[in-house]
Amino acid sequence: MILMKNVIIGNKASSLALLLLIPLLFTGCIGGYDQPAVAPESGTRASITFVAAEYSSSTKPFFENLVRDFETRYPNIEIELHVINWDFLDAAYSSMISRNQPPDLLLSNSYAHFAKDGLLNNIEELLSPELKEKLYPFLFNTGKMDGVQYAVPYAATIRELYYNKDIFEDIGMEETPKTWEELENTARIIMDKTEAEGFGVDFTDNEIWAYLSYFFFGAGGGWMKDGKWAINSPQNVKGLTFLKELYEKGLTDAEPAVTTRDEKQRILGNGKLGMMISGNYFESVVPKEFPGLKWAKGPIPVKEGQTPLIHGVQDVMISFKTDHTNKEALSLFLDFLYEDARYEEFVLREGFLPAIRTVGEKLSSNDKIMKQNIDSIMNARFYPIDNPAWSAVRNATKSMGEAVLLGQMTPKQALDRLQQIALNKS
């Protein structure tokens, strides 16, 4: 029997109503909390609650099939699966935690604040030697805090500048802009000579911290410096100021704080946007929606004089402590999640980069772009997900995009506020 409670929440629904319903969404879904932990081979049933982010329309059926296969192989372990849209993921698992019913396993994009509060298992204790051995060390090591391994990588991407080749041909350009000055000039030419918008900027709640990162790093700054928060550094202020000025000059898309990354990708595919920064999943998702699209990519533009920017992003698996935690069952499920053939299917479905060497080596041997992307992400700069304050900082960025663009606060004021939040939560 498959005990599967899937929660898929659409972007168009009322967020207030859905947040009020979140406790009800999980009522009755999470059973067995009063039962003692038992080894699966004893014949007594064990259960695992698995909450996963929804990346695309492929995510839900992939994990549903995975759970069916797992329960067929291990019929005395039940998986309670929740697949939740990114817009509501944080609120959903926060509701579970507040009711002292955290998930046994969570796939999300942060962990350190939970580790600081003592809520997480040492996930290294759940990893088989075989699984630990095949994880890429440069991704695995970011899951460690104060010498304890709390997270393991599952999904990874590299960010680059993607552009519509037809639009570039119309304006007589063959390469992507490499510097901020070239980015501004290219966007202006697109706006002057075509009916498309120049440069897509995502300042929505789901992606603003990504664009801040691109232009913090591109200015020679970053979220941290020498292990300390440096969000309001002069370099970062310069980066955010440059983005604001692009918007004020009419060189970006019209609604950076409203139109999401996925929507901008469709606008680019429709020939109404010249260029935008996105992840390598663009290469799998967008051509399927727009098979006639001619696209190409280049590095993220940086301030004149700065070194080329490589920005990487990863999502991780974490395990919460519960009074029914069955480490043997969790270990079996983690091994199953990362089995090569199954994990390769996930990577290819979603357009991600693999977190394990065996799959990475196989895919790289047949795909030059995959090899290039994996080589690049090994030298990428990432979000500081190993810092307990990162979750609060990331959440605080969500309310600042429109305020900065509309002049309700200056870039310096906005970054001063983020810096203070980081220091208060550290």
Side-chain angles (χ1 to χ4, degrees):
M1 182 186 72
I2 298 175
L3 183 56
M4 189 182 302
K5 303 290 185 181
N6 299 297
V7 182
I8 308 294
I9 303 176
N11 288 328
K12 303 302 182 183
S14 166
S15 58
L16 176 59
L18 284 167
L19 291 178
L20 291 173
L21 283 172
I22 280 171
L24 297 177
L25 290 173
F26 293 102
T27 301
C29 292
I30 306 168
Y33 283 99
D34 295 328
Q35 298 176 7
V38 290
E41 71 270 19
S42 71
T44 305
R45 301 188 71 85
S47 66
I48 295 172
T49 305
F50 176 34
V51 174
E54 181 192 23
Y55 293 99
S56 73
S57 59
S58 294
T59 310
K60 176 187 176 184
F62 172 80
F63 282 123
E64 284 180 336
N65 290 333
L66 183 147
V67 166
R68 288 190 189 97
D69 291 346
F70 179 82
E71 291 192 343
T72 298
R73 186 184 297 185
Y74 301 101
N76 55 333
I77 305 176
E78 294 178 334
I79 307 298
E80 300 176 4
L81 174 66
H82 305 267
V83 180
I84 304 176
N85 185 280
W86 277 106
D87 288 342
F88 305 101
L89 180 65
D90 288 357
Y93 65 65
S94 295
S95 176
M96 298 174 74
I97 294 169
S98 70
R99 290 181 286 113
N100 197 30
Q101 295 179 337
D104 297 286
L105 198 64
L106 171 66
L107 170 58
S108 187
N109 56 7
S110 60
Y111 75 89
H113 57 304
F114 295 131
K116 180 182 178 183
D117 292 339
L119 300 179
L120 300 183
N121 289 313
N122 179 347
I123 204 164
E124 196 163 11
E125 296 176 354
L126 308 179
L127 301 181
S128 66
E130 294 77 16
L131 175 53
K132 182 179 177 182
E133 173 64 24
K134 66 182 183 180
L135 289 163
Y136 279 118
F138 70 94
L139 294 174
F140 183 69
N141 292 337
T142 60
K144 184 172 291 188
M145 193 180 83
D146 298 329
V148 179
Q149 192 76 37
Y150 291 109
V152 290
Y154 191 71
T157 65
I158 190 169
R159 305 298 174 90
E160 295 176 277
L161 185 72
Y162 289 84
Y163 65 95
N164 186 307
K165 289 183 69 175
D166 285 333
I167 292 176
F168 269 52
E169 289 174 6
D170 288 345
I171 65 173
M173 297 197 68
E174 297 180 354
E175 296 183 353
T176 57
K178 305 295 192 302
T179 66
W180 287 358
E181 182 179 359
E182 292 174 357
L183 176 65
E184 181 174 342
N185 290 337
T186 302
R188 182 174 288 108
I189 294 171
I190 292 172
M191 300 289 287
D192 290 344
K193 293 188 175 183
T194 75
E195 296 182 357
E197 296 177 316
F199 176 54
V201 174
D202 193 342
F203 264 21
T204 65
D205 286 357
N206 279 342
E207 193 75 0
I208 180 172
W209 56 85
Y211 265 78
L212 290 175
S213 298
Y214 308 148
F215 288 86
F216 286 177
F217 294 142
W223 295 98
M224 307 189 78
K225 183 178 181 180
D226 299 328
K228 298 180 180 179
W229 288 103
I231 301 174
N232 59 348
S233 69
Q235 294 89 344
N236 291 352
V237 172
K238 190 177 295 269
L240 181 53
T241 300
F242 174 72
L243 274 176
K244 175 179 168 63
E245 290 173 349
L246 284 181
Y247 171 76
E248 291 174 338
K249 293 174 182 177
L251 301 178
T252 70
D253 59 300
E255 297 181 311
V258 176
T259 310
T260 67
R261 179 193 65 207
D262 290 347
E263 291 169 322
K264 292 182 207 298
Q265 289 180 161
R266 296 186 183 99
I267 296 170
L268 188 149
N270 280 320
K272 299 300 183 182
L273 178 65
M275 51 188 172
M276 64 177 289
I277 301 171
S278 190
N280 53 278
Y281 39 76
F282 179 103
E283 300 161 24
S284 297
V285 175
V286 178
K288 291 178 183 177
E289 292 191 40
F290 304 96
L293 173 67
K294 293 192 295 184
W295 61 271
K297 65 179 181 177
I300 297 173
V302 297
K303 187 176 181 295
E304 290 71 12
Q306 293 298 319
T307 57
L309 169 61
I310 301 171
H311 184 64
V313 178
Q314 66 164 312
D315 296 331
V316 295
M317 291 281 186
I318 57 178
S319 175
F320 286 88
K321 295 177 180 177
T322 71
D323 57 8
H324 70 285
T325 296
N326 190 310
K327 292 186 176 181
E328 183 178 356
L330 281 168
S331 181
L332 290 171
F333 188 55
L334 284 168
D335 277 346
F336 199 83
L337 282 165
Y338 287 91
E339 279 186 358
D340 284 17
R342 187 170 292 102
Y343 183 73
E344 179 181 335
E345 179 188 351
F346 170 80
V347 168
L348 295 177
R349 274 180 178 237
E350 304 289 358
F352 291 149
L353 300 181
I356 57 177
R357 291 182 298 99
T358 46
V359 172
E361 290 167 359
K362 178 186 175 183
L363 295 179
S364 295
S365 66
N366 300 316
D367 187 336
K368 291 182 179 180
I369 294 178
M370 177 66 77
K371 185 179 188 310
Q372 175 188 337
N373 287 340
I374 293 176
D375 289 344
S376 294
I377 200 172
M378 289 182 181
N379 298 304
R381 300 185 69 171
F382 291 86
Y383 305 126
I385 65 170
D386 57 347
N387 190 293
W390 170 244
S391 179
V393 171
R394 185 199 66 195
N395 289 337
T397 66
K398 296 179 180 181
S399 62
M400 63 174 274
E402 190 171 31
V404 170
L405 294 178
L406 298 181
Q408 297 167 355
M409 61 171 50
T410 67
K412 179 68 163 57
Q413 289 171 334
L415 299 187
D416 282 345
R417 176 174 172 267
L418 290 182
Q419 176 74 6
Q420 192 58 52
I421 290 171
L423 295 177
N424 290 342
K425 292 293 183 177
S426 295

